[in-house]
Amino acid sequence: AGVLGAVGYFAWRATKEKKKNREQDFRRNFQNHESQPVPETSFVDEREITKLYHELVVKYHPDKASGENDKLFRTELFKKIKKAYDARDVEILKLFKLE
């Protein structure tokens, strides 16, 4: 039982580190994106924009936050996703979908 417990702990720890690294990469890419000019958008179907928006809303909703810092980050991200959706800017919405 001790060996399985140790293996389970290390697997949990590795998963936690991977998640932390993904979040740091996302934040780094997101900050880099804000300083870049907005690219020209091509014609995209309204259904595709709505579908992408709904996926992002479910994924990054502030109510799913685990801590206070995460909730603040998700709230700001949620506002930016909403702003991109209102402007119908598919390129920015696609940048949010990194996984």
Side-chain angles (χ1 to χ4, degrees):
V3 173
L4 290 177
V7 170
Y9 170 77
F10 288 115
W12 170 81
R13 184 73 181 177
T15 303
K16 188 175 179 179
E17 288 295 318
K18 286 179 187 176
K19 182 179 178 186
K20 181 180 174 185
N21 290 339
R22 275 197 313 252
E23 288 175 357
Q24 288 173 346
D25 289 343
F26 177 78
R27 289 180 179 167
R28 193 176 310 113
N29 290 338
F30 183 70
Q31 288 169 351
N32 290 341
H33 166 70
E34 284 190 336
S35 62
Q36 297 174 358
V38 177
E40 289 291 323
T41 58
S42 59
F43 175 76
V44 180
D45 187 18
E46 184 71 24
R47 287 178 287 165
E48 181 182 346
I49 295 172
T50 304
K51 181 180 175 186
L52 182 58
Y53 171 72
H54 285 289
E55 287 176 16
L56 293 170
V57 164
V58 168
K59 185 175 180 181
Y60 294 115
H61 198 279
D63 289 344
K64 290 188 173 186
S66 58
E68 188 60 33
N69 287 339
D70 191 34
K71 186 166 188 147
L72 293 173
F73 172 72
R74 285 175 178 254
T75 302
E76 289 301 313
L77 190 60
F78 195 75
K79 288 177 186 176
K80 292 179 184 193
I81 291 170
K82 176 70 173 143
K83 186 176 178 182
Y85 175 71
D86 289 341
R88 299 300 190 258
D89 197 337
V90 167
E91 300 302 320
I92 292 176
L93 288 175
K94 285 182 180 177
L95 289 174
F96 288 113
K97 189 176 180 179
L98 293 176
E99 289 190 21

